[in-house]
Amino acid sequence: MIINDEDWERGNPGAPPHVQRMWELCDWDSFPDDASDEKPYLWHPIKGAWVTIEDAVLFDSKRELAALQQKDLLSAVEIAEAESLSARIKELEEA
């Protein structure tokens, strides 16, 4: 049993709501110096870091694909979604 709020792994859906809300609080002290209109950053609560939009999409796509791949039996829609996610991940990694 986890007693301290800080001991929860980021992104754990079993974490209490108040812990999940803490993850959403931006760490403004770590905001990147190279941020600009051309290179915007956003706070990623699961990573606990500032990321570019491309990095956030890549991270989230990989998590979605991993969740799909853990299923034993996929529907046709889920197979198509997994293929689409794989293509998007490849495209983002090559960019």
Side-chain angles (χ1 to χ4, degrees), residues 7-60:
D7 292 339
W8 286 97
E9 181 181 350
R10 281 185 177 271
N12 182 337
H18 73 280
V19 172
Q20 293 182 27
R21 284 191 300 274
M22 284 185 344
W23 297 336
E24 294 174 8
L25 298 175
C26 303
D27 178 10
W28 289 106
D29 292 335
S30 66
F31 189 77
D33 293 332
D34 65 342
S36 66
D37 288 342
E38 293 78 34
K39 188 174 182 181
Y41 283 87
L42 56 94
W43 179 254
H44 199 287
I46 305 231
K47 290 183 96 171
W50 293 98
V51 296
T52 62
I53 292 172
E54 293 82 11
D55 289 341
V57 170
L58 179 61
F59 181 82
D60 291 340

Side-chain angles (χ1 to χ4, degrees), residues 57-86:
V57 170
L58 179 61
F59 181 82
D60 291 340
S61 296
K62 285 181 176 179
R63 288 188 72 216
E64 288 176 42
L65 181 59
L68 280 173
Q69 290 173 334
Q70 288 180 0
K71 287 186 163 186
D72 291 331
L73 188 61
L74 297 177
S75 69
V77 171
E78 290 170 326
I79 290 171
E81 184 179 345
E83 289 171 353
S84 174
L85 283 169
S86 293

